[in-house]
Amino acid sequence: MSEFWIYFQIGLKHVLDIHAYDHVLFLIALAIPFSFKDWKRIVLLVTLFTIGHTMALLLSVFGIIAIKVNVVELLIPITILITALFNLFTAGKSSKQESINLVFFITLFFGIIHGLGFSNYFKSILGGDATAQVLPLLEFALGIEAAQIVVVFVVLILSYIVQTVFRFSKRDWTLVMSAFIIGVVIPMIVESEIWIR
């Protein structure tokens, strides 16, 4: 049980690390268009993101996929930017089933990209062969899922407060938060090491 708790905590800290806030930014961008009545949809999105994240770690641990760190470090803020831009262009519009299915697929794909960003560190903290790393990886994934649900819950609470107490419309809340996220993410893309020759 203590080993489970170790990897579960690593998963929690991976998401909630204040110095690596890109994961939280993505979750905020993902959650802001939703409210408590959409809880099933947002939990499904979060779980799909975790599945993608875990798939990337599994592929990396077994040596099936390898990607340069600086490429992934550029792709991660791009996924956040795309999510925030999607919110800007769809804010206030009724969600059609086709766009929801597209969002599900894209969230899974973005989870893979974010997982690749953590793969080198994850391999470095685990010893032994790849098969011995599967159980710790699943324990780590549970920690990620728990932390992501906490972040989404906090976003939904803030959304509720802003929309009921401060009388923001859902559309305005989505636009303001998406614009804020874009403002934070663009410098991350511009300052990426990939541009340094």
Side-chain angles (χ1 to χ4, degrees):
M1 189 65 185
S2 62
E3 192 173 292
F4 166 81
W5 186 241
I6 288 167
Y7 291 110
F8 184 84
Q9 278 188 310
I10 292 171
L12 282 175
K13 288 175 184 170
H14 169 59
V15 175
L16 302 175
D17 181 3
I18 195 75
H19 301 294
Y21 52 87
D22 54 347
H23 205 129
V24 172
L25 267 183
F26 179 80
L27 290 168
I28 294 169
L30 195 65
I32 51 175
F34 297 99
S35 57
F36 279 111
K37 67 180 172 56
D38 306 310
W39 71 269
K40 286 182 184 173
R41 190 178 295 166
I42 190 66
V43 167
L44 180 57
L45 282 170
V46 166
T47 303
L48 281 170
F49 186 78
T50 304
I51 290 168
H53 200 278
T54 306
M55 281 170 49
L57 290 175
L58 275 171
L59 292 170
S60 178
V61 161
F62 283 96
I64 296 166
I65 192 168
I67 190 165
K68 289 182 179 178
V69 176
N70 59 352
V71 172
V72 178
E73 293 301 321
L74 174 66
L75 289 176
I76 288 172
I78 288 174
T79 64
I80 302 165
L81 179 66
I82 291 168
T83 307
L85 285 171
F86 178 80
N87 291 342
L88 277 183
F89 290 109
T90 59
K93 294 177 182 168
S94 60
S95 58
K96 293 182 177 137
Q97 194 59 41
E98 306 87 57
S99 68
I100 292 302
N101 290 336
L102 179 67
V103 170
F104 286 165
F105 174 76
I106 290 170
T107 303
L108 178 69
F109 179 68
F110 286 178
I112 293 170
I113 292 171
H114 283 248
L116 289 172
F118 194 68
S119 60
N120 287 335
Y121 173 74
F122 191 78
K123 284 192 286 188
S124 73
I125 61 173
L126 289 176
D129 63 342
T131 51
Q133 297 176 9
V134 172
L135 185 60
L137 196 143
L138 295 175
E139 294 163 347
F140 170 76
L142 286 172
I144 285 179
E145 182 75 357
Q148 289 183 156
I149 287 172
V150 167
V151 171
V152 165
F153 187 68
V154 168
V155 172
L156 292 177
I157 288 171
L158 283 173
S159 175
Y160 178 78
I161 291 168
V162 166
Q163 291 176 54
T164 53
V165 176
F166 298 105
R167 300 286 184 210
F168 262 63
S169 69
K170 187 175 179 181
R171 179 181 174 275
D172 289 348
W173 163 251
T174 304
L175 290 173
V176 168
M177 287 304 294
S178 296
F180 168 76
I181 290 166
I182 290 166
V184 172
V185 164
I186 286 175
M188 291 168 71
I189 295 167
V190 171
E191 294 164 10
S192 173
E193 290 179 14
I194 205 163
W195 310 120
I196 302 166
R197 296 248 177 233

